[in-house]
């Protein structure tokens, strides 16, 4: 594998509301024990990428704590491994948040220059998939194109009111058009905003964009390449899930209750999604536990009822409590006789005895980290 | 700092013949326990939680899986530049090669390992027990007593005392007499197989013992009695807490069940969900478990990546186990990667990893009506098959 990886941790997070108030999108918990960053990172690490730069904009403390040295992905190496790339101040300029992917890349040109890999894979955290990135790079090299874009015909739980990137791919696999729209135009596919490109070429393109005062990687750099006929598409083979706003977060979480989604994300033995261990105890079902159609992590204690829900590590569902259609994050406690329906309870929440909370699938009721209700 | 205050030597070479067939391919300390652990996770986690970061693990019997499991010691935070976890297998030397003859001989052969860390104290452990213990407190007592050797003991019921090595002590805890499995026990203080020695005393007794051709080179049979005879300062340290020897299939089964729940009136419970005293383990890349629409799951521990659509009651499931719709598992231990097919019934049994119990097959029987049923690794019980209660189904290739 002769490619380095770049992961954007914040792009496309503008509609996630309070979920990302105190964390990057990349460190948003998902699927009982993961953070969104685990997906692109594991896809890259399993493909043999040894050098991964993670571009962060703000609030990257929780991300840094999650990644640590990268040892969990076998990326704590003598050379390369994981590099966190936060904004920085220089002698001449105060650090500013990156407004977009282009600025993030420009700020990290030194990192790109220092690398020795011939290619770069660029990915984000707002879509979840499990794909063979080794094949992605191989096909890119074979194609002779300047840029490859990963795409999918279907992205589950995309929200119609939110902009997405679409590309038109012809029968030969060439990308002939790109649009950013709310609904999918006819004949277009979803772009997964995941790219493969030669490193030297990427540097020269972003330097030129900077000189020309351009503002967007997607609209300026990529569109120009498409117009030149230099872009090919690579179709994702598995299921792709969107994490765009609270509704799609809940929908994409509850999608894990479908066996084909679990199989697509976690069924590939050669590409396991990796996350740091927490050394929790095994999950315990009490004398009166009633559990149906739920995805449950380790370290959980269930004494009450759980239906159609995703339960994270270390959560406790006490006697008489009923949790339905909800996501209960790490170490949160739902006390005796409380009822939770269509809720997303963030980490370390305490729902006191007998409280009833309910949202709806289109409007999940969200409870902030460390709250007590 | 080229010195450690205290290091541990963990005797992990035991064959565990009474745990057959679970120990046919793995050493006893590597036998899985409690849905996600191995027995050796308990002493290793106790060490790191007690501030002891240097452990020599003495292996001998079937070490492959144990070595893989231990790796560089990273799950227990023991991958260090100075110290950490070291696997110490028997080796060849200029004068010839030897298997470890007894527990004392195993330590004797690794005196050079001990000397490298120049510890003041050496903790000797075995990989046979399930317990959570702070060795630091025991070490403090050892130091306060100016002891040469301190032996951890646990209070056992009088009627069971004749199964253990029993310490008779004076009021200060000083050991007056040690009796191995006495017919008429004078006390109920049973040795836990946990010893702290002051290093110089340990080395001099090991060297003397090695020179004695009549010795069986064993701590319990030779070293401890000899030290007592010589009037060395030997103390018992009374441990209070859950402690079980899991050396037999029955005791192994019970301790696993203790991990689920124990009666309210039981004074010492096994609590795994203890953030102040975590038991660390090497984890796989498994995703969370999925519980289906059907089936009742109660009073059980269920591991990662399990898919459960049948009934599970009072059982311990390890990771990646599939219980199909209409299947039922009760009072049982099901290890990694097993499949219990539709309509199959497993009751009061241990099913080792990689087994498939065919549709409508029946394994074992009610707990109060007979003995434990055991199925060894990678066995396939055919559709409608029956495994009689109390049977032990060995692996096909085993020559039992």
């Amino acid at each position: 594998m002769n490619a380095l990886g770049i992961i954007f941790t914040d792009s496309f997070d503008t509609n996630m509301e309070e979920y990302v108030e105190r964390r990057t999108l990349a460190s948003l918990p998902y699927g009982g024990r993961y953070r969104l960053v685990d997906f692109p990172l594991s896809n890259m690490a399993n493909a043999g990428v040894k050098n991964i730069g993670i571009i962060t904009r703000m609030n990257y403390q929780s991300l840094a704590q999650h990644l640590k040295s990268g040892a969990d992905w076998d990326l704590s190496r003598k050379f390369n491994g994981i590099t966190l790339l936060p904004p920085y101040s220089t002698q001449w300029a105060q650090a500013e948040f990156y407004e977009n992917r282009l600025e993030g890349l420009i700020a990290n040109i030194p990192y790109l220059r220092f690398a020795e890999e011939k290619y770069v894979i660029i990915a984000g955290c707002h879509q979840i998939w499990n794909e063979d990135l080794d094949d992605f790079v191989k096909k890119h090299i074979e194609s002779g194109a300047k840029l490859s874009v990963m795409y999918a015909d279907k992205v589950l739980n995309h929200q119609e009111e939110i902009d997405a990137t679409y590309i038109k791919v012809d029968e030969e696999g060439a990308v002939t058009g790109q649009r950013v729209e709310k609904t999918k135009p006819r004949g277009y596919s979803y772009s997964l905003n995941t790219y493969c490109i030669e490193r030297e070429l990427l540097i020269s393109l972003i330097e030129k964009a900077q000189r020309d005062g351009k503002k967007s990687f997607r609209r300026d750099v990529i569109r120009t390449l498409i117009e030149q006929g230099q872009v090919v598409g690579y179709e994702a083979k598995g299921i792709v899930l969107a994490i765009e706003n609270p509704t799609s977060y809940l929908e994409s979480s509850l999608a894990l209750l479908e066996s084909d989604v679990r199989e697509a994300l976690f069924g590939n033995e050669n590409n396991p999604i990796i996350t740091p261990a927490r050394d929790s105890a095994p999950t315990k079902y009490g004398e009166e536990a009633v559990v149906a159609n739920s995805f449950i992590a380790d370290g959980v204690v269930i004494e009450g009822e759980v239906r159609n829900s995703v339960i994270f590590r270390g959560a406790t569902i006490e006697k008489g409590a009923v949790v339905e259609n909800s996501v209960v994050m790490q170490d949160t406690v739902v006390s005796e006789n409380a009822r939770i329906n269509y809720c997303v309870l963030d980490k370390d929440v305490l729902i006191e005895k007998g409280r009833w909370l309910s949202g709806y699938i289109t409007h999940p009721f969200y409870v902030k980290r460390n709250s007590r209700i | 700092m080229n010195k450690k205050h205290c290091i541990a030597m963990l005797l992990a070479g035991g064959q565990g013949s009474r745990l057959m067939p679970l120990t046919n391919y793995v050493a006893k300390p590597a036998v899985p326990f409690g849905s996600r652990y191995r027995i050796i996770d308990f002493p290793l986690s106790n060490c790191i939680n007690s501030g002891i970061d240097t452990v020599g693990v003495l292996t001998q019997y079937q070490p492959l899986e144990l070595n893989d499991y231990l790796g560089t010691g990273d799950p227990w935070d023991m991958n260090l530049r100075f110290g950490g976890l070291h696997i110490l297998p028997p080796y060849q030397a200029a004068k010839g090669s030897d298997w470890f003859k007894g527990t004392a001989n195993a330590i004797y052969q690794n005196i050079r390992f001990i000397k490298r860390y120049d510890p003041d104290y050496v903790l000797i452990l075995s990989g046979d027990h399930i317990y959570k213990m702070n060795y630091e407190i025991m070490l403090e007592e050892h130091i306060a007593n100016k002891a040469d050797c301190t032996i951890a003991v646990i209070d056992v019921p009088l009627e069971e005392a004749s199964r253990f090595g029993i310490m008779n002590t004076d009021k200060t805890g000083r050991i007056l007499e040690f009796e191995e499995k006495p017919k008429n026990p004078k006390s109920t203080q049973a040795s836990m197989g946990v010893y702290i020695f002051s290093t110089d005393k340990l080395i001099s007794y090991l060297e003397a013992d090695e020179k004695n051709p009549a010795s069986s080179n064993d701590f319990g049979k030779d070293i401890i009695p000899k030290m007592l005879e010589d009037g060395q300062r030997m103390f018992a340290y009374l441990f209070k807490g859950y402690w079980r020897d899991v050396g037999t299939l029955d005791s192994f089964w019970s301790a696993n069940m203790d991990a689920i729940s124990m009666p309210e009136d039981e004074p010492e419970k096994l609590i795994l969900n203890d953030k102040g005293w975590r038991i660390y383990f090497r984890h796989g890349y498994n995703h969370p478990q999925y519980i289906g629409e059907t089936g009742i799951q109660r009073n059980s521990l269920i591991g990662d990546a399990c898919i459960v659509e049948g009934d599970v009651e009072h059982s311990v499931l390890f990771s990646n186990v599939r219980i199909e719709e209409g299947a039922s598992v009760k009072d049982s231990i099901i290890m990694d990667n097993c499949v219990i097919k539709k309509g199959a019934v497993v009751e009061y049994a241990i099913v080792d990893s990689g087994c498939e119990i065919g549709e409508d097959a029946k394994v074992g029987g009610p707990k109060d009506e007979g003995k434990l049923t055991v199925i060894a690794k990678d066995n396939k019980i055919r559709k409608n098959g029956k495994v009689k209660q109390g049977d032990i189904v060995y692996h096909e290739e085993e020559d039992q």
Side-chain angles (χ1 to χ4, degrees), chain A residues 31 33-34 262 266 277-281 283-287 289 292-294 296 298 331, chain B residues 35-37 260 275 278 280-281 283 286-292 297-302 304:
Chain A
R33 59 148 50 121
Y34 306 97
R262 287 197 305 275
F266 304 116
R278 222 177 146 230
D279 294 290
S280 318
T283 283
K284 184 171 156 178
Y285 294 76
E287 293 280 359
N293 193 34
S294 292
I296 297 171
D298 45 331
D331 296 328
Chain B
S35 180
R36 59 187 347 187
Y37 309 99
I260 306 172
K275 282 167 192 163
R278 280 185 202 273
Y280 301 98
F281 60 97
H283 58 102
N286 290 319
H287 57 80
Q289 58 196 265
Y290 173 73
I291 307 295
Q297 300 79 28
R298 276 185 186 165
N299 202 14
S300 294
L301 299 180
I302 300 184
D304 284 339

Short mmCIF file of all heavy atoms in Angstrom, two decimals, chain A residues 31 33-34 262 266 277-281 283-287 289 292-294 296 298 331, chain B residues 35-37 260 275 278 280-281 283 286-292 297-302 304:
data_model
loop_
_atom_site.label_atom_id
_atom_site.label_comp_id
_atom_site.label_asym_id
_atom_site.label_seq_id
_atom_site.Cartn_x
_atom_site.Cartn_y
_atom_site.Cartn_z
N GLY A 31 -23.07 2.98 17.36
CA GLY A 31 -23.07 1.52 17.27
C GLY A 31 -22.63 0.79 18.52
O GLY A 31 -22.04 -0.27 18.44
N ARG A 33 -20.28 0.92 20.67
CA ARG A 33 -18.94 1.03 21.23
C ARG A 33 -17.99 1.83 20.37
O ARG A 33 -16.86 2.05 20.76
CB ARG A 33 -18.37 -0.36 21.46
CG ARG A 33 -18.27 -1.22 20.22
CD ARG A 33 -17.07 -2.15 20.29
NE ARG A 33 -17.07 -2.85 21.54
CZ ARG A 33 -17.11 -4.18 21.68
NH1 ARG A 33 -17.14 -4.92 20.60
NH2 ARG A 33 -17.07 -4.73 22.86
N TYR A 34 -18.44 2.26 19.19
CA TYR A 34 -17.51 2.92 18.26
C TYR A 34 -17.63 4.43 18.33
O TYR A 34 -18.54 4.97 18.94
CB TYR A 34 -17.80 2.45 16.83
CG TYR A 34 -17.76 0.94 16.71
CD1 TYR A 34 -18.94 0.20 16.77
CD2 TYR A 34 -16.55 0.28 16.59
CE1 TYR A 34 -18.90 -1.18 16.70
CE2 TYR A 34 -16.51 -1.11 16.53
CZ TYR A 34 -17.69 -1.83 16.58
OH TYR A 34 -17.64 -3.20 16.53
N ARG A 262 -25.67 -5.06 9.67
CA ARG A 262 -24.61 -5.56 10.55
C ARG A 262 -23.58 -6.35 9.75
O ARG A 262 -22.38 -6.21 9.93
CB ARG A 262 -25.19 -6.46 11.64
CG ARG A 262 -25.95 -5.73 12.71
CD ARG A 262 -26.11 -6.62 13.94
NE ARG A 262 -26.73 -7.89 13.64
CZ ARG A 262 -28.05 -8.10 13.58
NH1 ARG A 262 -28.88 -7.10 13.81
NH2 ARG A 262 -28.53 -9.29 13.31
N PHE A 266 -19.87 -5.14 9.75
CA PHE A 266 -19.03 -5.88 10.69
C PHE A 266 -18.73 -7.30 10.24
O PHE A 266 -18.01 -8.03 10.92
CB PHE A 266 -19.70 -5.94 12.07
CG PHE A 266 -20.03 -4.59 12.63
CD1 PHE A 266 -21.35 -4.23 12.86
CD2 PHE A 266 -19.03 -3.68 12.90
CE1 PHE A 266 -21.66 -2.98 13.38
CE2 PHE A 266 -19.33 -2.43 13.41
CZ PHE A 266 -20.65 -2.08 13.65
N ALA A 277 -10.30 -0.85 23.48
CA ALA A 277 -11.00 -1.67 24.47
C ALA A 277 -11.19 -0.86 25.73
O ALA A 277 -10.45 0.07 26.01
CB ALA A 277 -10.20 -2.91 24.79
N ARG A 278 -12.19 -1.23 26.49
CA ARG A 278 -12.45 -0.52 27.72
C ARG A 278 -12.35 -1.46 28.92
O ARG A 278 -12.56 -1.05 30.04
CB ARG A 278 -13.86 0.07 27.64
CG ARG A 278 -13.94 1.46 28.16
CD ARG A 278 -15.33 1.98 27.98
NE ARG A 278 -15.62 2.87 29.09
CZ ARG A 278 -16.70 2.79 29.83
NH1 ARG A 278 -17.59 1.84 29.60
NH2 ARG A 278 -16.91 3.63 30.80
N ASP A 279 -12.05 -2.71 28.64
CA ASP A 279 -11.94 -3.70 29.71
C ASP A 279 -13.18 -3.72 30.59
O ASP A 279 -13.09 -3.79 31.81
CB ASP A 279 -10.68 -3.47 30.53
CG ASP A 279 -9.43 -3.71 29.69
OD1 ASP A 279 -9.17 -4.87 29.36
OD2 ASP A 279 -8.76 -2.73 29.31
N SER A 280 -14.33 -3.64 29.97
CA SER A 280 -15.58 -3.74 30.72
C SER A 280 -15.83 -5.19 31.08
O SER A 280 -15.30 -6.09 30.45
CB SER A 280 -16.77 -3.28 29.87
OG SER A 280 -16.47 -2.14 29.12
N ALA A 281 -16.70 -5.36 32.06
CA ALA A 281 -17.17 -6.71 32.40
C ALA A 281 -18.11 -7.19 31.29
O ALA A 281 -18.56 -6.39 30.48
CB ALA A 281 -17.89 -6.65 33.74
N THR A 283 -21.62 -8.34 29.54
CA THR A 283 -22.97 -7.81 29.71
C THR A 283 -23.84 -8.79 30.47
O THR A 283 -23.81 -9.99 30.22
CB THR A 283 -23.56 -7.47 28.33
OG1 THR A 283 -22.95 -6.25 27.93
CG2 THR A 283 -25.06 -7.30 28.35
N LYS A 284 -24.60 -8.25 31.41
CA LYS A 284 -25.35 -9.10 32.33
C LYS A 284 -26.85 -8.87 32.18
O LYS A 284 -27.31 -7.74 32.17
CB LYS A 284 -24.90 -8.75 33.74
CG LYS A 284 -25.50 -9.61 34.80
CD LYS A 284 -24.81 -9.31 36.11
CE LYS A 284 -25.71 -9.68 37.26
NZ LYS A 284 -25.03 -9.44 38.54
N TYR A 285 -27.57 -9.97 32.06
CA TYR A 285 -29.03 -9.93 31.99
C TYR A 285 -29.59 -10.39 33.33
O TYR A 285 -29.26 -11.48 33.77
CB TYR A 285 -29.52 -10.84 30.86
CG TYR A 285 -29.10 -10.33 29.49
CD1 TYR A 285 -27.79 -10.49 29.07
CD2 TYR A 285 -29.99 -9.66 28.66
CE1 TYR A 285 -27.38 -10.00 27.84
CE2 TYR A 285 -29.59 -9.17 27.44
CZ TYR A 285 -28.29 -9.34 27.03
OH TYR A 285 -27.88 -8.83 25.82
N GLY A 286 -30.39 -9.56 33.95
CA GLY A 286 -30.91 -9.88 35.28
C GLY A 286 -32.10 -10.83 35.23
O GLY A 286 -32.55 -11.25 34.17
N GLU A 287 -32.62 -11.12 36.41
CA GLU A 287 -33.72 -12.08 36.58
C GLU A 287 -34.97 -11.68 35.80
O GLU A 287 -35.74 -12.52 35.38
CB GLU A 287 -34.11 -12.17 38.06
CG GLU A 287 -33.07 -12.79 38.97
CD GLU A 287 -33.06 -14.30 38.92
OE1 GLU A 287 -33.89 -14.88 38.19
OE2 GLU A 287 -32.22 -14.91 39.62
N ALA A 289 -35.03 -9.42 33.17
CA ALA A 289 -34.71 -8.73 31.91
C ALA A 289 -35.62 -9.20 30.78
O ALA A 289 -35.95 -10.38 30.69
CB ALA A 289 -33.26 -9.00 31.54
N ALA A 292 -35.52 -7.44 23.35
CA ALA A 292 -35.88 -7.88 22.00
C ALA A 292 -35.30 -6.93 20.97
O ALA A 292 -35.28 -5.71 21.18
CB ALA A 292 -37.40 -7.94 21.86
N ASN A 293 -34.82 -7.49 19.88
CA ASN A 293 -34.34 -6.73 18.73
C ASN A 293 -33.45 -5.56 19.13
O ASN A 293 -33.75 -4.42 18.82
CB ASN A 293 -35.55 -6.23 17.92
CG ASN A 293 -35.13 -5.72 16.56
OD1 ASN A 293 -34.18 -6.24 15.97
ND2 ASN A 293 -35.79 -4.69 16.08
N SER A 294 -32.36 -5.85 19.80
CA SER A 294 -31.49 -4.76 20.25
C SER A 294 -30.03 -5.12 20.05
O SER A 294 -29.66 -6.28 20.00
CB SER A 294 -31.75 -4.46 21.73
OG SER A 294 -33.04 -3.91 21.87
N ILE A 296 -26.41 -4.61 21.61
CA ILE A 296 -25.99 -4.31 22.98
C ILE A 296 -24.49 -4.56 23.15
O ILE A 296 -23.98 -5.63 22.83
CB ILE A 296 -26.81 -5.17 23.97
CG1 ILE A 296 -28.28 -4.76 23.84
CG2 ILE A 296 -26.32 -4.99 25.39
CD1 ILE A 296 -29.24 -5.63 24.56
N ASP A 298 -20.74 -4.37 25.51
CA ASP A 298 -20.29 -5.05 26.73
C ASP A 298 -20.37 -4.11 27.94
O ASP A 298 -20.53 -2.91 27.81
CB ASP A 298 -18.87 -5.58 26.55
CG ASP A 298 -17.94 -4.55 25.92
OD1 ASP A 298 -18.42 -3.71 25.14
OD2 ASP A 298 -16.74 -4.59 26.20
N ASP A 331 -22.17 4.46 29.86
CA ASP A 331 -22.28 4.73 31.29
C ASP A 331 -23.56 5.48 31.71
O ASP A 331 -23.65 5.96 32.84
CB ASP A 331 -21.06 5.49 31.81
CG ASP A 331 -19.80 4.65 31.67
OD1 ASP A 331 -19.89 3.41 31.77
OD2 ASP A 331 -18.72 5.23 31.44
N SER B 35 -17.20 -15.44 30.33
CA SER B 35 -17.70 -14.78 29.13
C SER B 35 -16.63 -14.08 28.30
O SER B 35 -16.79 -13.94 27.10
CB SER B 35 -18.81 -13.78 29.50
OG SER B 35 -19.29 -13.16 28.36
N ARG B 36 -15.54 -13.59 28.92
CA ARG B 36 -14.54 -12.92 28.09
C ARG B 36 -13.12 -13.02 28.63
O ARG B 36 -12.21 -12.48 28.02
CB ARG B 36 -14.92 -11.46 27.91
CG ARG B 36 -15.03 -10.69 29.18
CD ARG B 36 -15.56 -9.29 28.96
NE ARG B 36 -15.54 -8.93 27.56
CZ ARG B 36 -15.83 -7.73 27.09
NH1 ARG B 36 -16.14 -6.77 27.90
NH2 ARG B 36 -15.81 -7.48 25.81
N TYR B 37 -12.93 -13.63 29.75
CA TYR B 37 -11.60 -13.69 30.35
C TYR B 37 -10.94 -15.04 30.16
O TYR B 37 -11.54 -15.97 29.64
CB TYR B 37 -11.70 -13.39 31.85
CG TYR B 37 -12.46 -12.14 32.17
CD1 TYR B 37 -13.79 -12.20 32.56
CD2 TYR B 37 -11.85 -10.90 32.04
CE1 TYR B 37 -14.50 -11.03 32.83
CE2 TYR B 37 -12.55 -9.74 32.32
CZ TYR B 37 -13.87 -9.81 32.71
OH TYR B 37 -14.57 -8.66 32.97
N ILE B 260 -22.25 -14.71 37.31
CA ILE B 260 -23.56 -14.17 36.92
C ILE B 260 -24.20 -13.51 38.13
O ILE B 260 -24.52 -12.33 38.13
CB ILE B 260 -24.52 -15.27 36.40
CG1 ILE B 260 -23.87 -16.07 35.27
CG2 ILE B 260 -25.84 -14.65 35.95
CD1 ILE B 260 -24.69 -17.29 34.87
N LYS B 275 -15.22 -1.03 38.59
CA LYS B 275 -14.33 -0.09 37.90
C LYS B 275 -13.09 0.22 38.72
O LYS B 275 -12.11 0.72 38.19
CB LYS B 275 -15.09 1.17 37.51
CG LYS B 275 -15.93 0.89 36.28
CD LYS B 275 -16.95 1.95 35.96
CE LYS B 275 -17.89 1.39 34.90
NZ LYS B 275 -19.13 2.12 34.79
N ARG B 278 -10.45 -3.44 37.81
CA ARG B 278 -10.80 -4.07 36.53
C ARG B 278 -10.01 -5.34 36.31
O ARG B 278 -8.85 -5.43 36.69
CB ARG B 278 -10.47 -3.12 35.38
CG ARG B 278 -11.50 -2.05 35.16
CD ARG B 278 -11.13 -1.25 33.92
NE ARG B 278 -11.74 0.07 33.93
CZ ARG B 278 -12.96 0.32 33.47
NH1 ARG B 278 -13.67 -0.63 32.93
NH2 ARG B 278 -13.46 1.54 33.53
N TYR B 280 -8.37 -7.14 33.39
CA TYR B 280 -7.99 -6.84 32.01
C TYR B 280 -7.88 -8.14 31.22
O TYR B 280 -7.59 -9.20 31.78
CB TYR B 280 -6.66 -6.09 32.00
CG TYR B 280 -6.72 -4.81 32.76
CD1 TYR B 280 -6.27 -4.73 34.08
CD2 TYR B 280 -7.26 -3.67 32.18
CE1 TYR B 280 -6.35 -3.54 34.79
CE2 TYR B 280 -7.35 -2.48 32.89
CZ TYR B 280 -6.89 -2.42 34.20
OH TYR B 280 -6.98 -1.25 34.90
N PHE B 281 -8.09 -8.04 29.93
CA PHE B 281 -8.04 -9.25 29.10
C PHE B 281 -7.66 -8.83 27.69
O PHE B 281 -7.76 -7.66 27.33
CB PHE B 281 -9.42 -9.94 29.10
CG PHE B 281 -10.52 -9.07 28.55
CD1 PHE B 281 -10.91 -9.18 27.22
CD2 PHE B 281 -11.12 -8.12 29.34
CE1 PHE B 281 -11.90 -8.36 26.71
CE2 PHE B 281 -12.11 -7.29 28.83
CZ PHE B 281 -12.50 -7.42 27.52
N HIS B 283 -8.56 -8.48 24.04
CA HIS B 283 -9.86 -8.43 23.38
C HIS B 283 -9.72 -8.67 21.89
O HIS B 283 -8.70 -8.37 21.30
CB HIS B 283 -10.52 -7.09 23.62
CG HIS B 283 -9.70 -5.94 23.14
ND1 HIS B 283 -9.95 -5.29 21.98
CD2 HIS B 283 -8.58 -5.39 23.66
CE1 HIS B 283 -9.03 -4.36 21.81
NE2 HIS B 283 -8.19 -4.39 22.80
N ASN B 286 -14.47 -7.88 18.10
CA ASN B 286 -15.89 -8.21 17.96
C ASN B 286 -16.79 -7.00 18.09
O ASN B 286 -16.50 -6.07 18.83
CB ASN B 286 -16.29 -9.23 19.02
CG ASN B 286 -15.67 -10.58 18.73
OD1 ASN B 286 -15.63 -11.01 17.59
ND2 ASN B 286 -15.16 -11.23 19.76
N HIS B 287 -17.90 -7.03 17.39
CA HIS B 287 -18.88 -5.96 17.51
C HIS B 287 -19.86 -6.31 18.64
O HIS B 287 -19.81 -7.41 19.18
CB HIS B 287 -19.60 -5.75 16.17
CG HIS B 287 -20.27 -6.98 15.64
ND1 HIS B 287 -21.49 -7.40 16.10
CD2 HIS B 287 -19.87 -7.87 14.72
CE1 HIS B 287 -21.82 -8.51 15.47
NE2 HIS B 287 -20.86 -8.82 14.62
N PRO B 288 -20.75 -5.39 19.00
CA PRO B 288 -21.72 -5.69 20.07
C PRO B 288 -22.61 -6.89 19.72
O PRO B 288 -22.67 -7.32 18.58
CB PRO B 288 -22.54 -4.41 20.16
CG PRO B 288 -21.61 -3.34 19.71
CD PRO B 288 -20.80 -3.97 18.62
N GLN B 289 -23.28 -7.40 20.73
CA GLN B 289 -24.16 -8.55 20.53
C GLN B 289 -25.52 -8.10 20.01
O GLN B 289 -25.93 -6.96 20.24
CB GLN B 289 -24.33 -9.29 21.86
CG GLN B 289 -24.90 -8.38 22.94
CD GLN B 289 -24.71 -8.95 24.33
OE1 GLN B 289 -25.58 -9.59 24.85
NE2 GLN B 289 -23.57 -8.72 24.94
N TYR B 290 -26.20 -9.01 19.33
CA TYR B 290 -27.55 -8.71 18.87
C TYR B 290 -28.53 -9.69 19.50
O TYR B 290 -28.35 -10.90 19.40
CB TYR B 290 -27.63 -8.80 17.34
CG TYR B 290 -29.05 -8.67 16.83
CD1 TYR B 290 -29.69 -7.44 16.85
CD2 TYR B 290 -29.75 -9.79 16.39
CE1 TYR B 290 -31.01 -7.33 16.43
CE2 TYR B 290 -31.07 -9.68 15.97
CZ TYR B 290 -31.69 -8.44 15.99
OH TYR B 290 -32.99 -8.32 15.59
N ILE B 291 -29.54 -9.14 20.16
CA ILE B 291 -30.58 -9.99 20.75
C ILE B 291 -31.81 -9.86 19.85
O ILE B 291 -32.29 -8.76 19.60
CB ILE B 291 -30.94 -9.52 22.18
CG1 ILE B 291 -29.69 -9.40 23.06
CG2 ILE B 291 -31.98 -10.46 22.81
CD1 ILE B 291 -28.96 -10.69 23.33
N GLY B 292 -32.29 -10.98 19.36
CA GLY B 292 -33.38 -10.98 18.38
C GLY B 292 -34.75 -10.76 18.99
O GLY B 292 -34.89 -10.52 20.19
N GLN B 297 -33.97 -14.02 27.54
CA GLN B 297 -32.60 -14.06 28.04
C GLN B 297 -32.60 -13.53 29.46
O GLN B 297 -32.91 -12.36 29.68
CB GLN B 297 -31.66 -13.21 27.17
CG GLN B 297 -31.60 -13.65 25.71
CD GLN B 297 -32.81 -13.17 24.88
OE1 GLN B 297 -33.41 -12.15 25.18
NE2 GLN B 297 -33.16 -13.92 23.85
N ARG B 298 -32.27 -14.41 30.41
CA ARG B 298 -32.35 -14.00 31.80
C ARG B 298 -31.20 -14.55 32.62
O ARG B 298 -30.73 -15.64 32.37
CB ARG B 298 -33.64 -14.51 32.42
CG ARG B 298 -34.75 -13.57 32.11
CD ARG B 298 -36.02 -13.95 32.77
NE ARG B 298 -37.04 -13.03 32.27
CZ ARG B 298 -38.33 -13.21 32.39
NH1 ARG B 298 -38.78 -14.26 33.01
NH2 ARG B 298 -39.17 -12.33 31.92
N ASN B 299 -30.81 -13.75 33.61
CA ASN B 299 -29.85 -14.21 34.60
C ASN B 299 -28.62 -14.83 33.93
O ASN B 299 -28.20 -15.92 34.25
CB ASN B 299 -30.55 -15.25 35.50
CG ASN B 299 -29.84 -15.39 36.82
OD1 ASN B 299 -29.00 -14.56 37.17
ND2 ASN B 299 -30.16 -16.44 37.55
N SER B 300 -28.05 -14.10 32.98
CA SER B 300 -26.95 -14.65 32.19
C SER B 300 -25.92 -13.59 31.87
O SER B 300 -26.19 -12.40 31.96
CB SER B 300 -27.50 -15.20 30.87
OG SER B 300 -28.34 -16.31 31.12
N LEU B 301 -24.73 -14.07 31.49
CA LEU B 301 -23.71 -13.20 30.92
C LEU B 301 -23.61 -13.54 29.44
O LEU B 301 -23.52 -14.72 29.09
CB LEU B 301 -22.35 -13.43 31.57
CG LEU B 301 -22.24 -13.17 33.07
CD1 LEU B 301 -20.81 -13.45 33.54
CD2 LEU B 301 -22.62 -11.73 33.41
N ILE B 302 -23.63 -12.53 28.59
CA ILE B 302 -23.58 -12.78 27.16
C ILE B 302 -22.44 -11.97 26.55
O ILE B 302 -22.28 -10.79 26.85
CB ILE B 302 -24.94 -12.46 26.49
CG1 ILE B 302 -26.02 -13.36 27.13
CG2 ILE B 302 -24.87 -12.67 24.98
CD1 ILE B 302 -27.40 -13.24 26.52
N ASP B 304 -19.59 -10.58 23.42
CA ASP B 304 -19.63 -9.78 22.20
C ASP B 304 -19.98 -10.62 20.99
O ASP B 304 -19.62 -11.80 20.91
CB ASP B 304 -18.24 -9.18 21.94
CG ASP B 304 -17.95 -8.02 22.87
OD1 ASP B 304 -18.91 -7.44 23.40
OD2 ASP B 304 -16.76 -7.71 23.05
#
